[in-house]
Amino acid sequence: QVQLVESGGGLVQAGGSLRLSCAASGRTFSRYAMGWFRQAPGKEREFVAGISWSGGNTYYANSVKGRFTISRDNAKNTAYLQMNSLKPEDTAVYYCAAGLVAGTRVADFDSWGQGTQVTVSS
């Protein structure tokens, strides 16, 4: 497992942008697929975006496709989520996760960060 720490959340107006970062500890970061999930109050945690260990494959939830971009820098042990054209319905706690399988389910990921709050005002 790896230890993950998210940063970059905050309050932004609708239409604005934020960039989330996920810093990983350990030397095995490049072995893991990475994912971003979010959880709004009263709702289940949902998949947002994922990236393969090499960064060669990325995939997104339909709700964010075309607005969000996931990327990673294995030399810096960091994954990113660039969020553009934010909407109030994007408001949630965002979590990064690491797993050996590039999936979309919570169960596909073994390590989780503590989460960072993203609030989009209308």
Side-chain angles (χ1 to χ4, degrees):
Q1 291 188 343
V2 294
Q3 284 71 50
L4 304 172
V5 178
E6 302 97 335
S7 61
L11 174 64
V12 63
Q13 289 188 333
S17 298
L18 282 175
R19 188 196 196 200
L20 305 184
S21 298
C22 175
S25 64
R27 303 179 183 177
T28 59
F29 175 74
S30 62
R31 296 183 184 179
Y32 291 91
M34 298 297 296
W36 285 95
F37 288 74
R38 66 187 181 187
Q39 189 165 19
K43 295 187 176 182
E44 293 187 353
R45 192 168 298 190
E46 65 173 1
F47 170 78
V48 174
I51 188 167
S52 61
W53 66 270
S54 67
N57 291 310
T58 59
Y59 46 104
Y60 301 90
N62 287 336
S63 59
V64 307
K65 200 172 294 184
R67 300 188 297 122
F68 290 12
T69 302
I70 188 172
S71 61
R72 67 189 296 161
D73 185 337
N74 286 344
K76 295 183 178 180
N77 281 9
T78 303
Y80 305 95
L81 185 68
Q82 177 68 43
M83 305 185 295
N84 299 330
S85 302
L86 282 161
K87 304 175 182 180
E89 51 264 43
D90 294 319
T91 295
V93 177
Y94 282 70
Y95 299 88
C96 69
L100 295 178
V101 177
T104 61
R105 303 175 304 160
V106 170
D108 292 330
F109 295 87
D110 304 311
S111 301
W112 293 83
Q114 82 289 348
T116 185
Q117 177 70 46
V118 171
T119 303
V120 184
S121 64
S122 57

